Amino acid sequence: QVQVVESGGDLVQAGGSLNLSCIVSGLDFDDYAMAWFRRSPGKEREVVSCTSWSGAWSFYADSVKGRFTISRDNAKNTLYLQMNSLKPEDTATYYCVAGESNGRECGEYEYEYTYWGQGTQVTVSS
């Protein structure tokens, strides 16, 4: 049984930092591209960032580029999202997702990911 468990969400002031973690079990982690999606109140879910199976290739949404960094530790089956310079508009539930790798890149779309976590709440106060 595949399990995807996020942690690290919290209430933080604007300008602050958080580091989200996601531990995956029940699959061969290094066969999977990984990503973070988020859903803000009143908005549709959107991709934040993704990384290839090796971590060598990554993608960032324009809204987080230069502030967020995605990384993975395949030995620990863990995905991370370092979030700096947080803004109130980053307030959302953040989801960790896994999808079978089809090459050296990663996908930006929900349908490309099979396994989803329950989400972790990030709230940024102004």
Side-chain angles (χ1 to χ4, degrees):
Q1 181 181 358
V2 176
Q3 288 191 314
V4 179
V5 181
E6 306 96 334
S7 62
D10 206 345
L11 170 63
V12 63
Q13 287 190 331
S17 298
L18 283 175
N19 190 25
L20 304 184
S21 298
C22 169
I23 297 177
V24 182
S25 60
L27 52 74
D28 291 328
F29 187 70
D30 54 9
D31 283 342
Y32 284 75
M34 299 294 299
W36 292 96
F37 283 75
R38 69 184 181 186
R39 175 177 280 155
S40 303
K43 297 184 179 180
E44 292 191 358
R45 194 158 51 191
E46 62 179 358
V47 66
V48 175
S49 179
C50 68
T51 183
S52 61
W53 68 271
S54 66
W57 197 93
S58 59
F59 163 86
Y60 294 94
D62 287 343
S63 58
V64 306
K65 205 171 291 183
R67 300 187 298 122
F68 291 10
T69 302
I70 193 169
S71 62
R72 63 190 294 164
D73 185 338
N74 286 354
K76 296 182 178 180
N77 284 18
T78 303
L79 178 73
Y80 303 98
L81 184 68
Q82 177 65 43
M83 305 187 295
N84 298 328
S85 302
L86 282 161
K87 305 175 180 179
E89 50 263 45
D90 294 317
T91 294
T93 302
Y94 284 71
Y95 299 91
C96 173
V97 301
E100 287 193 53
S101 176
N102 59 5
R104 67 177 187 87
E105 300 180 351
C106 58
E108 307 167 30
Y109 303 101
E110 293 187 24
Y111 74 85
E112 297 178 274
Y113 296 93
T114 304
Y115 302 105
W116 291 69
Q118 293 299 305
T120 187
Q121 179 66 36
V122 172
T123 303
V124 184
S125 63
S126 56

